[in-house]
Every structure is written in structure tokens, then in C-alpha cells.
Amino acid sequence: MRFPVYKYGLFFRLVEETDAAFILDLRTNKNLARHLTSTDDDLQKQVEWIREYKTREKSQKEYYFLFEDENHQPSGVVRLYDINDDTYTSGSWLAKPGSDEFLSIKSDLFISDFAAEELKGKKCVFDVRKKNKKVLRYHKMFSTVIGEDDLNYYFTIDEENALRKYNFLKSII
Amino acid sequence: MDIEKFISELADQYDDIDTSGFTSETLFKENEEWSSMTALSIIAMVDDSYSVRLTGDDIRKSQTIQDIYNIVFSKSTV
């Protein structure tokens, strides 16, 4: 897939070091990032994290996307990681406060498009914090719980349900 | 369709705020918990309980619970 990609009224591209301040703002926003792994409020560390990520991107182990609105203003991020022979994980979704209500749906659709094109035959496995009730309800509509621990539920989604989810989301936007 | 039942079902989609004062005139997007996930929860609840598919535009143009109820009612075949 060639970037930037324009889909669902958004521009999607891969994260660069110059996005560090935007990402740090999102990840250190207590409201937004309360269900994500905590991040140090340190710009240099974020730059270094992205630099290391770019090597994982080069070896096709991870993709960190930033999506922009029609005016090319950054709106949010989403990530595909732990990509191996059979599975991959999707997560780290964050969007700027006050963004369109349906950004999460649009970015989820993009992730499905990207996975269908670039990660053919791999199954999506992911975890959701037990306290993240709304996101849990959303994933339980389409995905199967395959495990749990004190902190998380672990999910996977098969091809049939992935298509059902894709069609449901497309009918909304 | 019963508006009181609908208000209760919609209120159930909120996990963090006090919804005991929700009425048909409540501005359901004007609170700190509102997000795309709340919108999606409401769409899923309506799909499940009323077999009605709301769209993003339905949510965007609704302000009060009565507004969204009216849309569901107009699309409902029950």
C-alpha cells in the first residue's frame, strides 16, 4: 500500500519522528490514554521510540499510522504490531479531543483494508482492558474471547466475523 | 416502542456518568463521557433491541434522546 492513503474522508500515513509531539500529547492526556500503557512525558524518549519503531516498520513487523483530516491536521493514531507468521495485533488507538464521533470507525475500517491487502492470511489477536467497558462491548459484538487475566480480555476474530464487522461499520459512516 | 424503556437502554451505554436524571429532553452527547465508542454502543444497542440500523448522520443530527428515539421509531418496522 502506498502512503498517504485517502479513505473515509481521512488521510492515513505512517508515523514519522516529526509526529512525536502530537503523539506524546495524546498519550499523556489522562482522559484519552487511561486504558493504554502509560507513557513518560518526555519528547526525546518519544522521538527515540519512533526511531526504533521505524526499524520494525522496515522489517514489516509493525505499522504505526497517523490519520489526518481533510485539512491535513493530525487527528489520531492507530497501530498494528506483533506481526508474525500467523497473527498480528491492533491497538494504541487514540484521537484528538473534539474529533468527529466516527473517527474510530473510519480508522478501524482502514485497518481492515490494510490488513486485507498487506497481512493476508494472518489472524488478528488483541487485548482489551477489562475496565474499558464500551470498547469491550464493541469487540464482543464481532470477536471471540480466547482468554483473560486480571487486567485484560484476549480476543480474536475470524474471517467471517471480520467481514460482518466491516459491513456493519461501513453501513454506519 | 416505549420512550421510558428507550431512555433506560440508552442510559445503559454510559459507564462513568450519573444517568439517573436522563429524560427525553437530555442532550445525550453533551457530557464528558461522549465519544465514538458511546455512539457505537448506542448504534449496537438499537440494532440489537429494535433491529434498526442507525447511521452516523442519524447520530450527528440528533441532539436529545427524543430526537434519536424519533429516528428509531420512524425506521422501525415493529
Side-chain angles (χ1 to χ4, degrees):
Chain A
M1 192 175 272
R2 293 185 63 139
F3 295 100
V5 174
Y6 180 72
K7 274 205 151 183
Y8 315 115
L10 296 170
F11 292 95
F12 292 87
R13 62 172 175 79
L14 293 162
V15 158
E16 302 295 340
E17 285 182 34
T18 48
D19 299 315
F22 173 71
I23 294 171
L24 192 63
D25 265 358
L26 294 178
R27 291 198 64 97
T28 54
N29 180 315
K30 281 182 186 160
N31 251 347
L32 295 178
R34 62 192 162 135
H35 297 300
L36 300 184
T37 310
S38 66
T39 301
D40 291 338
D41 192 359
D42 182 327
L43 185 59
Q44 190 51 39
K45 271 190 180 174
Q46 187 65 47
V47 170
E48 283 160 16
W49 190 95
I50 294 173
R51 195 170 299 152
E52 285 166 22
Y53 148 72
K54 294 303 274 187
T55 63
R56 297 193 294 276
E57 177 194 300
K58 208 170 180 181
S59 55
Q60 300 181 328
K61 293 286 181 200
E62 188 168 326
Y63 297 97
Y64 200 3
F65 304 103
L66 184 145
F67 41 95
E68 301 173 341
D69 64 17
E70 302 265 8
N71 300 313
H72 288 286
Q73 294 305 303
S75 296
V77 288
V78 64
R79 192 161 67 104
L80 292 176
Y81 55 103
D82 289 346
I83 299 170
N84 57 44
D85 290 345
D86 305 314
T87 61
Y88 66 94
T89 297
S90 142
S92 308
W93 186 88
L94 282 171
K96 206 163 68 174
S99 302
D100 180 274
E101 282 121 328
F102 296 97
L103 268 187
S104 60
I105 296 176
K106 293 171 180 175
S107 53
D108 212 0
L109 281 168
F110 167 75
I111 287 293
S112 299
D113 292 331
F114 180 85
E117 198 172 310
E118 303 291 340
L119 305 174
K120 281 190 189 95
K122 297 184 199 296
K123 197 181 255 193
C124 184
V125 292
F126 57 97
D127 55 82
V128 180
R129 296 277 161 93
K130 286 185 168 176
K131 285 183 179 171
N132 202 353
K133 291 180 191 166
K134 265 187 277 294
V135 174
L136 274 179
R137 274 202 295 272
Y138 169 55
H139 287 303
K140 282 181 174 175
M141 285 170 65
F142 304 102
S143 305
T144 308
V145 175
I146 51 171
E148 67 176 291
D149 55 26
D150 289 345
L151 193 61
N152 298 310
Y153 281 110
Y154 297 88
F155 289 90
T156 188
I157 185 165
D158 61 27
E159 214 167 295
E160 187 185 340
N161 281 306
L163 182 63
R164 194 166 63 85
K165 176 181 163 185
Y166 188 80
N167 289 334
F168 176 77
L169 296 183
K170 276 200 94 165
S171 76
I172 291 169
I173 61 165
Chain B
M1 278 179 65
D2 174 352
I3 182 78
E4 294 307 323
K5 180 169 172 277
F6 185 80
I7 293 167
S8 163
E9 289 169 329
L10 188 138
D12 284 346
Q13 309 314 310
Y14 292 84
D15 301 310
D16 301 328
I17 60 167
D18 177 12
T19 57
S20 59
F22 270 26
T23 71
S24 59
E25 294 311 307
T26 297
L27 302 168
F28 67 96
K29 294 185 279 186
E30 301 296 318
N31 58 69
E32 61 194 27
E33 194 180 333
W34 179 254
S35 71
S36 58
M37 278 296 140
T38 328
L40 207 48
S41 283
I42 291 171
I43 290 169
M45 178 278 287
V46 167
D47 193 56
D48 198 35
S49 302
Y50 299 94
S51 302
V52 166
R53 182 65 53 85
L54 292 173
T55 65
D57 279 346
D58 292 330
I59 298 288
R60 284 188 195 97
K61 67 186 180 193
S62 298
Q63 302 300 320
T64 66
I65 296 177
Q66 184 73 52
D67 293 337
I68 198 81
Y69 174 84
N70 290 344
I71 293 170
V72 175
F73 187 76
S74 70
K75 288 185 168 186
S76 175
T77 54
V78 180

